[in-house]
Amino acid sequence: TAAGGRQDGPGGQPPLAASFRSTGGGSEALDDKSMHLQQRLEAVERELREAQEASRTYRQRYDQCELKLKDREQLLVHAKEMWMKENVRASKLADALTTAEDKIADQEKRLSEVVARYNEAQAEVRSLQRLVGSSGDGGTGGGEYFQPELKNNGLSRVPGTSAELPSNGALRPMGTASTFDASFTRDNLAGSTRTLPSTTQGGLSDANLRALPSTPLDPETNSDRFRRLCLVNDAVLYEDEMIQVGVKAEYAGNEGQLAVFFGNKGGAPLHAFTVQYYVKEERALRLTASPLNQQLDADKQVVQRITAVMQEPFAEPPWLRIQFLLPDTSPRKIQLKLPVVLTKFMVGRDMSPQEFFQVWRQQHFVLNEATGIVHLGSRFRGALVHVARSIVFGGALRMHHGIDTNPDNFVLVGQLGDQKAGGGGGGDLDADRGRDVFGLPSAASAGADREHGLSLVRVEVGSGRFSGKARVVVRSNDHTVARALCDGIVAQLAEPNA
């Protein structure tokens, strides 16, 4: 107051203290409100973080589902392509099956026709045999003392007297003896009474053999095709539903030129097409092949030129391996023998009977002898004409008549083509007399040169209890030549799958 005294406020308190108390009450309310808002903010931030985490989880699941969906789409496309390829392949197989069934039907028809013709020919042969038997001479040659007898719808010979039976049980004509030494008959294979074809003088010649019909059935298997190409130089070697292989060849001396044809029979190209040749006796036979394209288009044919050079005699033919990829990219491999055999490098040789026996009995020819017993294939039984055609190998061996007295046996002579026979069939092969005949300084070397690669062959066809069998004997100055010829003849006469 003006008097300097203190003036109390209401209630006896000073005015400043009352103001402070009112202000402190409002601050506590603000603090409480701020704490409440802070708690709500933290709760909202926590919810936001949880929402963001859930969003990331859902997005990851979405991405995974999208990747799986793409994989499923790719698998679906691949499965559709494979289904289309298999559908095309199934249609091709169905067409191939239909074609094969048609071929089988045609072959069965041809087989029935061939069987009918064969039965007619057999009936005609039996009629001729009866006619020959009724003529009184029994169909035998001079000096034979045999009586004809009908047996099993044909002719069989029985000796006129029991004194004519040899000790080994083989039948021999009276008053005659085999012109061969005893080694020819040690297996007791006697001749039969079949008179066609005869190997006596005036029988089948090489020209007649070439004019003869082929064996009763055409080759149907690939093994038959190989055996046929051992006799001829132009034919199909292999065939299946995809590919065909043919060979055309020419031989001169110790060299041969071959053209091997590869044909694609399918409707799609063959990729990675490779051809390899394997020769076991590399020192004896050398093959040189021209390059070949590695793609064989559909319905197309390519040719590969092969040069074969024989450096020394060989026993086994080379192998041909064909590899390629089928349209579905699966690999395919084919292995087969190439018909380059020793007889391709041989030529027939003429020899007189005296010259033949002179060489046959030489010691080194006897030591190199090769023999074999074979069960004749059904196509050869009762048809010696087909036996004769199969063992001359297209002229590599020359048939000789009048050497063996048995008309059912075959005698053949051949020599490697690079050797000069010189002097034809009348020459003298005796090495001891080579100086007198040729006037050469070395008689032994002259005889050896003329005899190099020379081969003498005898094929005995059994009868009676040996019917259906044949014995092959080959003598040569080289054992490899003798073994190769013997194996080749046995393979030609045996059953296809024997």
Side-chain angles (χ1 to χ4, degrees), residues 81 119 132 251 265 299 332 449 468:
E81 293 177 354
N119 292 334
V132 172
Y251 293 87
K265 298 171 57 179
D299 298 324
R332 177 79 179 274
D449 290 341

Side-chain angles (χ1 to χ4, degrees), residues 199-493:
T199 56
T200 57
Q201 190 66 31
L204 290 176
S205 63
D206 291 344
N208 292 335
L209 284 176
R210 286 189 290 269
L212 288 175
S214 59
T215 50
L217 292 179
D218 292 332
E220 295 294 338
T221 65
N222 290 318
S223 59
D224 289 331
R225 295 185 177 99
F226 171 79
R227 295 198 299 183
R228 175 170 173 77
L229 270 169
C230 291
L231 307 179
V232 301
N233 290 331
D234 186 1
V236 174
L237 174 60
Y238 177 87
E239 186 171 8
D240 59 16
E241 71 280 359
M242 292 295 299
I243 192 171
Q244 183 185 65
V245 182
V247 175
K248 186 174 184 179
E250 293 181 357
Y251 293 87
N254 65 341
E255 184 173 333
Q257 299 293 332
L258 293 86
V260 184
F261 297 88
F262 303 95
N264 183 1
K265 298 171 57 179
L270 303 178
H271 299 281
F273 191 86
T274 58
V275 179
Q276 295 173 308
Y277 300 88
Y278 297 92
V279 181
K280 183 177 181 180
E281 302 162 274
E282 296 180 352
R283 295 180 55 186
L285 182 65
R286 186 176 74 250
L287 297 182
T288 305
S290 63
L292 196 63
N293 192 357
Q294 290 195 353
Q295 177 171 324
L296 184 55
D297 295 330
D299 298 324
K300 296 295 182 181
Q301 179 178 271
V302 295
V303 60
Q304 186 176 33
R305 305 291 177 178
I306 307 295
T307 301
V309 179
M310 183 193 66
Q311 298 174 328
E312 58 184 59
F314 61 95
E316 297 186 14
W319 282 85
L320 167 62
R321 177 184 292 175
I322 306 172
Q323 293 177 306
F324 54 89
L325 295 179
L326 294 173
D328 60 354
T329 68
S330 59
R332 177 79 179 274
K333 180 171 67 174
I334 301 171
Q335 288 192 156
L336 56 147
K337 292 181 180 180
L338 189 67
V340 180
V341 293
L342 187 64
T343 53
K344 297 293 186 179
F345 302 94
M346 298 184 69
V347 293
R349 170 76 187 278
D350 284 327
M351 296 182 72
S352 63
Q354 180 182 2
E355 184 181 10
F356 182 93
F357 290 115
Q358 180 180 333
V359 177
W360 180 268
R361 296 188 178 97
Q362 290 186 16
Q363 183 179 6
H364 58 288
F365 275 76
V366 176
L367 294 177
N368 291 321
E369 178 183 291
T371 61
I373 302 294
V374 58
H375 291 268
L376 292 176
S378 57
R379 63 191 184 282
F380 295 120
R381 297 175 185 175
L384 292 181
V385 63
H386 299 308
V387 176
R389 181 182 177 87
S390 297
I391 62 178
V392 297
F393 289 94
L397 299 176
R398 183 162 298 172
M399 188 173 295
H400 286 61
H401 312 289
I403 295 181
D404 194 338
T405 56
N406 191 335
D408 290 344
N409 296 341
F410 302 94
V411 177
L412 308 102
V413 180
Q415 191 168 17
L416 292 179
D418 59 342
Q419 302 298 322
K420 303 299 182 183
D428 193 342
L429 292 180
D430 190 356
D432 297 334
R433 296 193 294 167
R435 182 188 304 274
D436 299 333
V437 176
F438 299 103
L440 299 178
S442 175
S445 62
D449 290 341
R450 287 171 52 78
E451 293 174 3
H452 180 72
L454 182 65
S455 301
L456 312 181
V457 182
R458 183 173 187 259
V459 179
E460 307 173 57
V461 180
S463 64
R465 63 190 182 97
F466 297 107
S467 179
K469 296 182 180 180
R471 178 171 177 259
V472 182
V473 183
V474 182
R475 290 185 181 181
S476 175
N477 71 326
D478 190 303
H479 183 71
T480 302
V481 177
R483 186 75 266 165
L485 276 179
C486 183
D487 293 343
I489 295 175
V490 168
Q492 287 292 328
L493 298 181

Side-chain angles (χ1 to χ4, degrees), residues 143-176:
E144 293 189 355
Y145 188 62
F146 284 88
Q147 299 174 350
E149 173 186 289
L150 288 175
K151 182 179 180 181
N152 296 330
N153 294 329
L155 286 176
S156 64
R157 297 176 184 173
V158 295
T161 62
S162 61
E164 295 302 319
L165 283 174
S167 59
N168 61 0
L171 299 181
R172 289 250 182 122
M174 180 179 179
T176 62

